[in-house]
């Protein structure tokens, strides 16, 4: 059975930054407008007044300081509070495909590969720009890749779930070079008017190339020793936007058509699920958590990541063991753990182990154990 290795990664960073200060100023202006417009109903008790946000609240709740977005003027407009994107005609490359191609080309260059050598493309993200044709097929064509492509969605675990599919394709001999891309334009499904979540997400795209070790040409290789996936249904993170909405005659702007979560419940329930999942996966390979050189975890919440690592190794640890990127990027859904791997894999020596792990809506958890060659 061929050994699967990660030979290249790529990262597309959007052109616009929104700081917490900018976000809070915009949100609080929206809150003031709302409370003034609904003053009578608020006084009558039929509408609840909105509370302002603050930079201190955001950093304490999440550890996030800024985020990248594809477009910021619409997000920061108190009268709009959502990105202002331009619709593209069907004969132009779609926005998700455009950023995926950028990240993919970086990953290919890092691996010493040409796009024509890719024989499978998996587009894995928390949302797709359209139902069909598959985003992966458009990306495949734009790159000039061969083989086949398909889309998949397991929310924030989409990248690790896709890596397992890529690894299995390589190990089975069905593919030799598989490209996984994670274009996350999360600003489009975030509810920027909700104080409890308006700061959470940022836009980005990551790419990972998985190949057969025997034919890889990259100097840097990470052997995939094992992958493990798990899901458990929960409504605590949900988004009801979908193709049946118009048939239900539901309001396309209703609150349930954007991201929503029960944050405290998610924190309480996901931390033990993720830590137990990682520990069991490592144990199946005869590895203790303390033997892992680096953990590249999903980047959703600073406190969540700290607690997961504490449960695994029994002590507080610094960024060298479990690097964080969410202070700069915020939560980028499926791309978060891949950004951490892309940005922070220096210092791991040949033979040392690492774990890429994601967790999120579903609930879903995916882990990938890698060894630096």
């Amino acid at each position: 059975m061929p050994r699967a290795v990660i030979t290249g990664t790529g990262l597309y960073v959007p052109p616009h930054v929104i700081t917490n200060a900018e976000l809070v100023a915009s949100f609080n202006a929206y809150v003031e407008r709302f409370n003034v417009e609904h003053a009578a109903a608020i006084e009558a008790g039929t509408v609840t007044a909105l509370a302002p946000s603050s930079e201190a609240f955001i950093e304490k709740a999440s550890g996030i300081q800024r985020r990248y977005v594809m477009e910021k003027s619409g997000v920061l407009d108190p009268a709009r509070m959502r990105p202002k994107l331009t619709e593209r005609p069907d004969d132009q490359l779609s926005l998700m495909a455009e950023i995926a191609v950028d990240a993919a080309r970086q990953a290919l260059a890092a691996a010493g590969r040409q796009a024509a050598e890719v024989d499978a493309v998996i587009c894995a993200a928390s949302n797709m720009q359209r139902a069909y044709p598959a985003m992966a097929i458009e990306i495949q064509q734009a790159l000039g890749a061969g083989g086949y492509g398909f889309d998949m969605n397991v929310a924030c675990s989409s990248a690790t779930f896709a890596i397992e599919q890529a690894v299995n394709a390589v190990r089975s001999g069905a593919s030799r070079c598989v490209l996984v891309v994670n274009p996350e334009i999360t600003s489009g499904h975030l509810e920027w008017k909700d104080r409890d979540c308006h700061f959470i997400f940022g836009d980005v795209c990551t790419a990972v190339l998985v190949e057969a070790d025997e034919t890889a040409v990259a100097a840097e290789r990470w052997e995939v020793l094992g992958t493990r996936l798990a899901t458990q249904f929960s409504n605590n993170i949900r988004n009801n936007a979908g193709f049946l909405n118009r048939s239900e005659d539901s309001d396309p702007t209703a609150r349930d058509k954007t991201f929503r979560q029960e944050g405290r419940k998610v924190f309480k329930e996901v931390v033990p699920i993720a830590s137990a999942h990682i520990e069991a996966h490592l144990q199946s390979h005869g590895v203790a958590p303390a033997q892992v050189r680096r953990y590249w975890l999903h980047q959703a919440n600073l406190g969540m990541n700290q607690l997961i690592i504490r449960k695994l190794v029994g002590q507080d640890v610094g960024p060298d063991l479990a690097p964080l990127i969410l202070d700069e990027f915020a939560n980028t859904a499926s791309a978060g753990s891949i950004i951490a791997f892309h940005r922070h894999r220096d210092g791991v020596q040949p033979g040392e182990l690492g774990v890429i792990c994601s967790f999120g809506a579903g609930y879903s958890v995916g882990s990938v154990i890698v060894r630096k060659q």
Side-chain angles (χ1 to χ4, degrees):
M1 181 181 294
R3 290 187 300 177
V5 292
I6 294 173
T7 55
T9 58
L11 172 63
Y12 169 82
V13 180
H16 305 288
V17 174
I18 297 179
T19 65
N20 285 350
E22 291 177 295
L23 193 64
V24 166
S26 170
F27 179 82
N28 289 348
Y30 162 74
V31 167
E32 185 177 355
R33 287 168 57 103
F34 179 93
N35 290 343
V36 168
E37 291 173 5
H38 298 85
I42 290 171
E43 185 176 358
T46 57
V47 172
T48 301
L50 298 182
S53 186
S54 71
E55 294 177 66
F57 162 69
I58 292 173
E59 289 204 37
K60 181 179 179 180
S62 66
I64 296 168
Q65 298 177 15
R66 54 188 278 189
R67 71 283 299 146
Y68 296 96
V69 292
M70 300 302 296
E71 199 282 329
K72 67 184 289 185
S73 66
V75 172
L76 297 180
D77 181 354
R80 181 179 176 87
M81 304 293 280
R82 64 183 187 276
K84 191 175 181 63
L85 303 175
T86 301
E87 185 177 9
R88 298 183 178 187
D90 291 348
D91 61 356
Q92 288 187 13
L93 193 64
S94 66
L95 185 58
M96 282 186 74
E98 180 181 291
I99 66 176
V101 166
D102 185 289
R105 286 176 174 155
Q106 294 179 44
L108 289 166
R113 289 296 188 191
Q114 298 297 316
E117 297 174 286
V118 172
D119 54 12
V121 177
I122 305 173
C123 181
S126 58
N127 284 279
M128 296 299 163
Q129 188 167 344
R130 60 172 181 269
Y132 43 80
M135 299 304 306
I137 301 175
E138 183 181 10
I139 295 162
Q140 174 194 23
Q141 181 188 50
L143 285 170
Y148 62 93
F150 65 90
D151 295 347
M152 59 179 292
N153 175 352
V154 202
C156 289
S157 289
S158 296
T160 53
F161 275 58
I163 288 173
E164 176 170 281
Q165 311 319 307
V167 168
N168 289 345
V170 168
R171 286 177 173 170
S172 70
S175 299
R176 304 293 274 180
C177 185
V178 183
L179 174 67
V180 174
V181 288
N182 319 109
E184 292 286 8
I185 307 179
T186 58
S187 59
H189 72 91
L190 177 58
E191 182 48 83
W192 297 94
K193 299 177 182 178
D194 188 329
R195 179 180 182 271
D196 290 336
C197 70
H198 76 112
F199 54 86
I200 289 179
F201 288 112
D203 299 336
V204 80
C205 183
T206 51
V208 174
L209 202 66
V210 178
E211 300 185 67
D213 186 39
E214 61 188 32
T215 54
V217 298
E220 181 187 356
R221 306 183 195 186
W222 297 79
E223 181 184 356
V224 179
L225 300 183
T227 60
R228 177 173 289 197
L229 314 177
T231 54
Q232 174 184 313
F233 184 74
S234 170
N235 270 323
N236 288 331
I237 308 174
R238 191 167 180 125
N239 184 334
N240 286 334
F243 77 101
L244 290 179
N245 293 160
R246 71 183 190 127
S247 300
E248 300 164 341
D249 295 328
S250 61
D251 180 2
T253 64
R255 178 65 186 89
D256 74 319
K257 302 306 188 293
T258 49
F259 169 85
R260 57 196 171 98
Q261 71 170 353
E262 297 287 340
R264 291 179 177 84
K265 290 182 180 179
V266 171
F267 192 105
K268 181 179 179 180
E269 294 172 4
V270 169
V271 166
I273 291 173
S275 57
H277 176 95
I278 295 170
E279 185 172 19
H281 190 192
L282 289 170
Q283 186 178 33
S284 71
H285 288 267
V287 177
Q291 293 176 284
V292 174
R293 176 64 180 82
R294 190 157 295 164
Y295 290 90
W296 300 283
L297 300 182
H298 174 52
Q299 306 285 312
N301 180 283
L302 174 60
M304 181 178 288
N305 282 18
Q306 290 176 333
L307 187 52
I308 288 171
I309 293 298
R310 194 180 306 138
K311 283 179 173 290
L312 286 170
V313 302
Q315 61 182 6
D316 292 332
V317 297
D320 184 61
L321 181 65
L324 289 165
I325 54 88
L326 72 102
D327 56 339
E328 177 184 355
F329 287 87
N331 183 342
T332 51
S334 71
S337 58
I338 307 303
I339 300 173
F341 177 69
H342 174 81
R343 282 276 189 93
H344 298 286
R345 59 181 189 257
D346 288 348
V348 180
Q349 301 303 311
E352 291 184 324
L353 303 179
V355 173
I356 303 169
C357 183
S358 62
F359 33 88
Y363 294 132
S364 59
V365 185
S367 54
V368 181
I369 302 174
V370 295
R371 179 170 57 203
K372 176 74 176 293
Q373 286 192 344

